[in-house]
Amino acid sequence: MTDQPLTTVMTVADGVARITWSPGEPVDVVRREVAAALMTHARVEALVDPDDVSGQRIATWSGMRREGIMRGLTIEGAASDRIVYARLASDLPLQEPEGFRAILNSFLPRKRAIGQMLMRDGDDRVLLCQLTYKQDWDLPGGVVEVNESPRQGVTRELEEELGLTIAAGELLLTDWLPPWSGWEDALCLVFDGGVHDASLPERMVREEREIRSVAFKTLDEVRELAADFTTRRIESALARAHGHGSPFSESGRF
């Protein structure tokens, strides 16, 4: 006798059910079981193998949102990763546009955004920060927070780390950063911070936990102090500030 696809629901904690299904189970069956479980539970979750593309599709179209990856679970005696999907009783119905968008938003790719500012003095030297958590120098700025615009993010970073209130000007460069040394890929947006008096670093209030020193540097000094990809980005942003080059680069290269 051929085994039939099977869906099971088990309570794993107070108000939490975990659903599993065998390969070949129709999506509508899993969706019905999720809905039924939510009649008596606040949350229904599923743990899906990252290599199980079909299982990920079933979890998604049965109304569960992707929440992240649980690493190193012991499954059948071996350490394995599992993608966590879940649906809450309070989640909006799939047939409502906002509910459907929330499902899509949970698994579509997301990019890290970094906001930086190109600030120069009258001799076209570039303001660089010597950071406490890495050896090479970099432009002022940092990672943009969730629901924060890149322009707001770089302005906030300057206020927090340098005690400066300078509005970000024109977007000079969007630089795509490929995956590197444990980091996933990201987009770095370099804004024009204008031209300032050479004494500006003396008036800054550094966040000493992150910034060792700040100084205007010539392009030759940038090449000595910054990582090669940072140097390329600065060169590209400088070119844009002088009306040359492309507004988009990949690791600083046009």
Side-chain angles (χ1 to χ4, degrees), residues 26-249:
V27 171
D28 59 347
V29 172
V30 179
R31 187 186 297 120
R32 284 199 303 269
E33 293 295 335
V34 169
L38 287 173
M39 299 295 290
T40 54
H41 299 79
R43 171 186 172 92
V44 177
E45 64 183 24
L47 305 181
V48 182
D49 191 324
D51 295 326
D52 183 3
V53 176
S54 175
Q56 295 171 48
R57 187 177 299 111
I58 290 172
T60 298
W61 298 119
S62 64
M64 291 185 281
R65 302 183 193 181
R66 176 172 172 147
E67 295 186 338
I69 296 180
M70 294 181 67
R71 298 182 300 139
L73 294 175
T74 301
I75 298 175
E76 297 181 354
S80 302
D81 296 344
R82 288 294 182 266
I83 304 174
V84 181
Y85 289 86
R87 183 164 183 80
L88 307 183
S90 57
D91 286 343
L92 290 173
L94 281 177
Q95 60 268 28
E96 293 189 17
E98 188 174 345
F100 180 68
R101 288 194 292 265
I103 293 289
L104 296 180
N105 188 62
S106 74
F107 70 83
L108 288 175
R110 301 181 184 184
K111 291 241 188 270
R112 181 176 295 109
I114 300 166
Q116 293 189 328
M117 194 174 288
L118 181 73
M119 302 169 66
R120 296 167 287 149
D121 68 3
D123 295 323
D124 216 30
R125 296 185 301 170
V126 176
L127 188 75
L128 286 188
C129 297
Q130 183 184 27
L131 306 173
T132 60
Y133 49 86
K134 64 179 182 179
Q135 293 184 340
D136 47 279
W137 294 50
D138 209 340
L139 292 172
V143 175
V144 179
E145 295 181 353
V146 176
N147 296 325
E148 179 182 57
S149 80
R151 191 184 299 274
Q152 292 171 330
V154 70
T155 301
R156 172 186 52 76
E157 288 283 349
L158 261 69
E159 291 176 349
E160 293 176 352
E161 297 185 354
L162 301 177
L164 293 177
T165 302
I166 296 178
E170 176 189 1
L171 176 62
L172 296 173
L173 183 72
T174 299
D175 187 32
W176 176 72
L177 310 180
W180 177 80
S181 189
W183 288 104
E184 296 178 352
D185 73 322
L187 290 174
C188 183
L189 292 88
V190 183
F191 294 89
D192 191 351
V195 177
H196 302 269
D197 188 271
S199 64
L200 179 65
E202 301 170 11
R203 304 196 298 272
M204 294 179 183
V205 181
R206 291 181 291 108
E207 170 49 77
E208 296 185 354
R209 290 174 297 181
E210 297 197 31
I211 309 293
R212 283 199 181 95
S213 61
V214 186
F216 283 110
K217 299 293 182 180
T218 66
L219 199 49
D220 283 340
E221 290 173 319
V222 170
R223 295 183 181 112
E224 292 178 4
L225 297 171
D228 56 354
F229 54 87
T230 301
T231 298
R232 290 194 300 270
R233 184 184 316 125
I234 292 172
E235 290 173 336
S236 297
L238 269 173
R240 288 289 299 152
H242 291 294
H244 309 297
S246 167
F248 176 76
S249 63

